[in-house]
């Protein structure tokens, strides 16, 4: 019988039992390792990463229940079979609740342990395969959302496939809402770094001094409030990918430090005396004209050339309207599932309006439209937009100042198990979110201008953007 790849770790304080189990499992074709205590087991599992663990329930110092708890904290995916003597039913139940995969009573026949190990490993491999398939489905749905079927997006898919398995720096360019982050994630998930971190940094979300500490970290005592060392995003992304969104808004003082990372793969934390070495792939994105920014001196030319090794330009939705029906179907399915609705399709009138519209907010704006239709249960709420009405005309207040949404049927917001106050709060939050999005689209995501139009502070707007996750696409 050919040796199986699986390694089984045996944990038992009785030396003779360990010796017996090792010989028995070796005869089954498994690789084995064994330890005589819980403390040894916790160290050993970190070194060999076994496929399965056989753990004795009754041991001195640290019993099997405590060992099981700690093993699950280290790696919850490793299945554990408990060995127990008759009369320890309560402990067996505890072990199963903690996460033991099965248990075998002592004394046992060799065939029993062989069959149990085989069944547990089979279940484990099945779960791994199910998880892999789910990831493939999720990954494919993300790709479909980005690429769909248009010629322009198919060309982008081809570029991604060519650069994914390299370490080349990529610059993703396009208007707000076109899906630049999805492209960045597609590059990462098809690369050799797919199992490593993907770290996103929104370069406009923080003031310049805070962005520097966010990117590069700081040492204890570097400034007031720095009570301990804090690693930056580049350190957290080590061996993986860092996505620098809206790179065109980065202050020139930080651009030089970023250039050093791209050139040498190292940087110094704020207040640090030595350099930190990292292996990070950089993907940057911008909705700005960086060529113009280089000419007017607001963006470093040498950094631009370092970032622009491969450039992917995502066309706006108005230039690929053939994707609109596909995207509508995708978002209908997504939000029907999320909000437990059943809106099959849009009317011919709405589809025609959607096709005629130029979508200044691109895919993000289309997604928000579909989300609003699904939540409120009818299409009138979005059709008013195409008639030149401002979003605020959709909001009215009754005599008790409770928000209501014009045109929404009663069934649009489920009341089962919800208080009226919570329902209205949720509805108002949705409308506020959509209003902010509309203003951001109109100002081409100029946050300061949007804050002025909304008559709120710049900081309040940034908080709302973060709260409503408006920067996710």
């Amino acid at each position: 019988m050919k040796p199986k790849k699986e390694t089984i770790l045996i944990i038992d304080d009785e030396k003779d039992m360990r010796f017996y189990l090792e010989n028995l499992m070796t005869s089954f074709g498994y690789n084995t390792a064994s330890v005589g205590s819980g403390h040894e087991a916790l160290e050993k599992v970190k070194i060999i990463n076994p496929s399965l663990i056989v753990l004795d329930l009754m041991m001195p110092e640290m019993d099997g229940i405590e060992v099981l708890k700690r093993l699950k904290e280290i790696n919850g995916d490793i299945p554990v079979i408990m060995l127990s003597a008759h009369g320890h039913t309560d402990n067996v139940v505890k072990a199963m609740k903690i996460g033991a995969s099965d248990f075998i009573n002592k004394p046992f026949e060799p065939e029993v342990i062989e069959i149990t190990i085989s069944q547990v490993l089979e279940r484990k491999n099945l779960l791994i395969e199910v998880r892999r398939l789910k990831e493939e489905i999720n990954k494919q749905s993300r790709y479909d959302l980005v690429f769909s079927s248009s010629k322009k997006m198919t060309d982008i898919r081809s570029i991604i496939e060519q650069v994914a398995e390299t370490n080349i720096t990529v610059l993703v360019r396009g208007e707000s809402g076109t899906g630049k982050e999805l492209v960045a994630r597609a590059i990462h998930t098809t690369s050799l770094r797919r199992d490593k971190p993907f770290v996103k940094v929104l370069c406009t979300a923080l003031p310049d001094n805070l962005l520097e500490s966010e990117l590069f970290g700081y040492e204890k005592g570097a400034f007031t409030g720095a009570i301990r060392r804090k690693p930056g995003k580049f350190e957290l992304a080590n061996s993986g990918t860092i996505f620098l969104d809206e790179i065109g808004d980065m202050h020139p003082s930080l651009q030089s430090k970023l250039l050093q990372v791209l050139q040498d793969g190292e940087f110094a934390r704020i207040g640090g005396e030595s350099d930190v070495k990292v292996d990070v792939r950089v993907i940057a994105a911008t909705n700005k004209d960086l060529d113009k920014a280089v000419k007017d001196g607001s963006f470093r030319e040498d950094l631009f050339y370092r970032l622009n090794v491969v450039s992917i330009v995502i066309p706006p939705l108005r230039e690929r309207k053939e994707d609109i029906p596909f995207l509508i179907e995708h978002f209908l399915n997504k939000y029907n599932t999320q909000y437990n609705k059943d809106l099959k399709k849009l009317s011919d009138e709405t589809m025609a309006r959607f096709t005629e519209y130029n979508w200044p907010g691109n895919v993000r704006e289309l997604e928000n439209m579909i989300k609003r239709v699904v939540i409120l249960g009818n299409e009138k709420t979005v059709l008013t937009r195409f008639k030149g009405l401002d979003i605020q005309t959709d909001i009215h207040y009754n005599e008790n100042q409770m928000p209501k949404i014009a045109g929404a049927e009663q069934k649009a917001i489920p009341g089962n198990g919800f208080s009226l106050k919570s329902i209205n709060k949720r509805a108002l939050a949705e409308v506020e979110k959509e209003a902010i999005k509309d203003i951001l689209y109109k100002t081409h995501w100029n946050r300061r201008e949007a804050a002025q139009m909304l008559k709120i502070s710049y900081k309040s707007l940034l908080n709302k953007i973060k709260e409503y996750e408006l920067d996710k696409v």
Side-chain angles (χ1 to χ4, degrees), residues 362-415:
N362 294 293
V363 177
R364 184 192 284 127
E365 184 182 10
L366 174 61
E367 179 177 5
N368 295 334
M369 287 272 197
I370 300 302
K371 182 178 181 181
R372 190 188 303 182
V373 169
V374 171
I375 290 173
L376 300 182
N378 66 71
E379 301 170 17
K380 293 180 182 178
T381 180
V382 297
L383 286 176
T384 55
R385 178 181 179 86
F386 301 110
K387 296 175 183 177
L389 296 179
D390 188 88
I391 185 173
Q392 296 299 328
T393 60
D394 289 341
I395 306 173
H396 303 286
Y397 297 91
N398 65 14
E399 58 203 322
N400 295 318
Q401 293 299 297
M402 297 298 289
K404 296 176 67 177
I405 304 172
E409 297 176 10
Q410 233 177 358
K411 65 178 181 179
I413 303 174

Side-chain angles (χ1 to χ4, degrees), residues 4 29 40 56 201 207 338 426 439 466:
K4 298 181 176 69
E40 291 178 276
D56 187 29
V201 180
Q338 183 172 333
R426 180 179 174 184
I439 296 299
K466 183 177 181 180

Side-chain angles (χ1 to χ4, degrees), residues 175-178 287 318 357 359-369 372 385 391 433-447 449-450 453-454 469-471 473:
E175 296 178 6
S176 292
T178 49
N287 59 9
R318 62 182 174 276
Y357 186 54
W359 300 105
N362 294 293
V363 177
R364 184 192 284 127
E365 184 182 10
L366 174 61
E367 179 177 5
N368 295 334
M369 287 272 197
R372 190 188 303 182
R385 178 181 179 86
I391 185 173
K433 180 178 179 181
E434 301 304 323
I436 292 171
K437 287 176 182 175
D438 283 349
I439 296 299
L440 286 169
Y441 296 147
K442 289 175 183 177
T443 60
H444 301 286
W445 282 75
N446 184 319
R447 289 163 175 75
E449 185 180 343
M453 292 180 67
L454 291 165
E469 299 182 339
L470 301 180
D471 58 339
V473 179

